[in-house]
């Protein structure tokens, strides 16, 4: 047993060392460099095409499209300056020279398209910078070729490391097979004990299955109780809501009206909680059903927009809702569920957007 333990520890150490070497080979790979450089070159070509269209004088300058292409390209070039990318490519003169030329172009272009432009965007200014922008095509493409060759060399070294790892793995497998055979002979002595343990585990498994059935029964009883409780509470609650509505129609002084409004809001909030409890109990019991009814989608969207617009305005976001004329006036759907879905989608969109616009298209 001691000899077997020592042999297994030695095998584990060798395998751990091999795995560490292989992981280091993969970790230090620069496969992503090709993709980063390719994206930068692609965005450069798109910017150049948009720049040419803006400078040719045939059509009005689309400042928004040009600004978008410029900002994206600047961000892609920024990725080439991070520590890992520059570490892989900065040693090559073509990379340093290209970044220097790009910096020179950006220094001039930022006057019209930077974060703080100092001169207006004009066709003459674009035409003046167009030759310099076009001259960047060759060095940027050269960086792409160098990156591809660099990653290709790394892949070759990685494949060699993998082959060596496989050879060591085969040797360890043969050694472990011999150890396994020896251990199997020793394990025959333990068969009777294993049979006894097997019987004990079977008995324990049967007990666990019974406990699981008991737990599922209790969970079902809980779901039924929640559903019945929600229904029972909602029935008199609707009566309370009706009485509050009727009370609003009677002559009340301003203080009473304020009290009544607070009571109504609290009742609406409590009713929403009850509805959520009922939905949860229906989901858990597998009895969630839809209630189709004629729904005016445009009216529903206006209601959602009225609720969402204050949130959008608070974050200085534009909120646009557009409906295709081909959409029918009414459709058969569950209005409550559809409204929940649209409301949650727009709420999340506004919550996780810091600038720009949130747009909902109905098709």
């Amino acid at each position: 047993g001691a000899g077997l333990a020592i042999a297994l520890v030695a095998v584990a150490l060798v395998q751990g060392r091999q795995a560490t070497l292989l992981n280091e080979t993969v970790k230090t790979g620069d496969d992503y460099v090709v993709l980063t450089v390719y994206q930068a070159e692609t965005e450069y070509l798109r910017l150049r095409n948009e720049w040419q269209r803006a400078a040719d004088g045939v059509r009005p300058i689309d400042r928004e499209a040009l600004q978008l292409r410029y900002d994206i390209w600047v961000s892609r070039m920024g990725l080439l300056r991070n520590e890992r990318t520059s570490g892989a490519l900065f040693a090559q003169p073509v990379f340093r020279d290209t970044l220097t030329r790009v910096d020179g172009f950006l220094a001039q272009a930022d006057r019209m398209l930077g974060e703080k432009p100092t001169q207006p965007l004009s066709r003459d200014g674009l035409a003046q910078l167009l030759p310099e922008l076009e001259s960047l095509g060759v060095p940027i493409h050269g960086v792409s070729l160098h990156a591809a060759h660099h990653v290709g060399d790394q892949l070759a070294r990685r494949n060699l490391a993998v082959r060596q790892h496989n050879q060591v793995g085969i040797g360890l497998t043969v050694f472990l097979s011999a150890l396994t055979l020896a251990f199997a002979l020793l394990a025959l002595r333990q068969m009777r004990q294993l049979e006894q343990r097997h019987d004990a585990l079977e008995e324990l498994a049967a007990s666990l299955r019974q406990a699981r059935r008991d737990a599922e029964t209790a969970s079902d009883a809980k779901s039924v109780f929640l559903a019945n409780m929600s229904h029972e509470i909602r029935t008199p609650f609707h009566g309370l809501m009706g009485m509050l509505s009727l009370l609003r129609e009677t002559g009340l002084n301003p203080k009473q009206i304020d009290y009544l409004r607070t009571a109504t809001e609290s009742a609406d909030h409590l009713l929403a909680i009850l509805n959520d409890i009922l939905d949860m109990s229906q989901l858990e019991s597998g009895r969630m059903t839809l209630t189709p009814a004629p729904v005016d989608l445009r009216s529903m969207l206006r209601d959602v927009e009225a609720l969402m617009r204050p949130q959008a305005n608070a974050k200085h976001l534009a909120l646009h809702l557009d409906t295709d004329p081909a959409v029918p006036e009414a459709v058969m759907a569950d209005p409550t569920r559809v409204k929940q879905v649209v409301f949650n989608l727009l709420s999340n969109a506004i919550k996780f957007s810091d600038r720009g616009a949130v747009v909902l298209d109905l098709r």
Side-chain angles (χ1 to χ4, degrees):
L4 180 61
I6 294 174
L8 290 177
V9 169
V11 170
L13 291 176
V14 173
Q15 288 182 329
R17 181 177 179 277
Q18 289 297 115
T20 301
L21 294 176
L22 187 61
N23 288 335
E24 287 297 324
T25 303
V26 175
K27 184 186 302 184
T28 58
D30 295 320
D31 304 32
Y32 68 95
V33 173
V34 172
L35 178 60
T36 303
V37 175
Y38 173 75
Q39 290 175 340
E41 183 180 11
T42 301
E43 294 301 333
Y44 161 77
L45 296 176
R46 292 175 178 172
L47 172 63
R48 188 180 66 182
N49 293 337
E50 188 64 37
W51 198 293
Q52 291 171 344
R53 283 195 294 269
D56 61 8
V58 176
R59 67 193 74 183
I61 298 176
D62 189 347
R63 181 184 179 89
E64 182 177 355
L66 182 59
Q67 186 72 56
L68 177 62
R69 297 264 64 88
Y70 181 77
D71 291 341
I72 294 177
W73 181 59
V74 170
S75 67
R76 293 301 183 187
M77 293 303 299
L79 293 177
L80 294 179
R81 302 174 186 274
N82 68 54
E83 181 179 354
R84 292 185 64 190
T85 305
S86 58
L89 296 178
F90 197 77
Q92 303 179 17
V94 64
F95 180 72
R96 297 195 300 270
D97 295 342
T98 300
L99 285 185
T100 301
R101 295 184 60 176
V102 169
D103 289 340
F105 171 78
L106 294 179
Q108 302 179 65
D110 280 346
R111 299 172 185 172
M112 295 184 294
L113 297 170
E115 294 183 359
K116 297 180 179 179
T118 59
Q119 65 184 53
L121 181 65
S122 63
R123 183 170 286 106
D124 292 339
L126 295 175
Q128 183 178 0
L129 289 178
L130 180 59
E132 186 171 350
L133 176 62
E134 292 176 337
S135 67
L136 295 176
V138 173
I140 289 178
H141 183 65
V143 171
S144 297
L145 293 178
H146 279 282
H149 291 313
H150 175 78
V151 173
D153 294 339
Q154 280 199 339
L155 288 176
R157 292 193 297 269
R158 186 181 304 169
N159 291 335
L160 177 60
V162 170
R163 286 195 298 269
Q164 293 175 347
H165 178 78
N166 290 337
Q167 292 172 356
V168 174
I170 292 174
L172 292 177
T173 300
V174 173
F175 180 66
L176 287 175
S177 298
L179 287 179
T180 302
L181 180 59
F183 186 75
L185 296 176
L186 296 175
L188 290 177
R189 300 173 56 186
Q190 308 298 325
M191 290 302 296
R192 292 183 179 179
Q193 294 182 4
L194 290 178
E195 290 176 358
Q196 295 175 356
R197 293 178 182 178
H198 176 74
D199 295 338
L201 289 176
E202 285 291 340
E203 183 178 353
L204 177 59
S207 300
L208 291 176
R209 285 193 292 269
Q210 182 59 42
R212 178 181 178 181
R213 286 193 292 268
D214 294 341
E216 290 175 347
T217 301
S219 177
D220 293 340
K222 179 205 68 174
S223 299
V224 172
F225 168 76
L226 287 175
N228 292 336
M229 180 192 69
S230 300
H231 280 297
E232 293 298 330
I233 295 179
R234 285 204 307 175
T235 299
F237 207 79
H238 283 298
L240 173 62
M241 297 290 289
M243 291 300 101
L244 289 176
S245 178
L246 293 177
L247 181 60
R248 190 181 296 108
E249 304 299 328
T250 62
L252 301 174
N253 60 46
K255 179 175 291 187
Q256 290 173 328
I257 292 175
D258 184 61
Y259 290 161
L260 180 60
R261 180 172 62 253
T262 301
T264 303
E265 291 176 354
S266 299
D268 289 337
H269 180 67
L270 182 56
L271 182 58
I273 294 176
L274 290 174
N275 289 333
D276 289 341
I277 293 175
L278 180 59
D279 287 346
M280 183 60 67
S281 63
Q282 288 177 337
L283 287 172
E284 289 184 350
S285 60
R287 294 187 289 108
M288 171 63 73
T289 57
L290 298 179
T291 307
V295 181
D296 185 342
L297 294 178
R298 292 173 175 82
S299 176
M300 183 202 69
L301 288 183
R302 287 194 293 270
D303 294 340
V304 175
E305 181 183 15
L307 294 173
M308 290 289 98
R309 188 163 296 281
Q311 298 183 25
N313 292 338
K315 296 188 67 175
H316 304 290
L317 296 172
L319 178 61
H320 303 295
L321 275 69
D322 182 35
T323 304
D324 194 323
V327 175
E329 291 296 328
V331 297
M332 292 298 295
D334 187 326
T336 301
R337 304 308 175 195
V338 175
K339 193 170 184 178
Q340 283 179 342
V341 171
V342 177
F343 181 86
N344 286 333
L345 287 175
L346 285 178
S347 177
N348 282 334
I350 294 173
K351 178 180 179 181
F352 294 105
S353 297
D354 296 325
R355 62 182 182 274
V358 175
V359 182
L360 175 64
D361 290 326
L362 177 62
R363 297 288 182 264

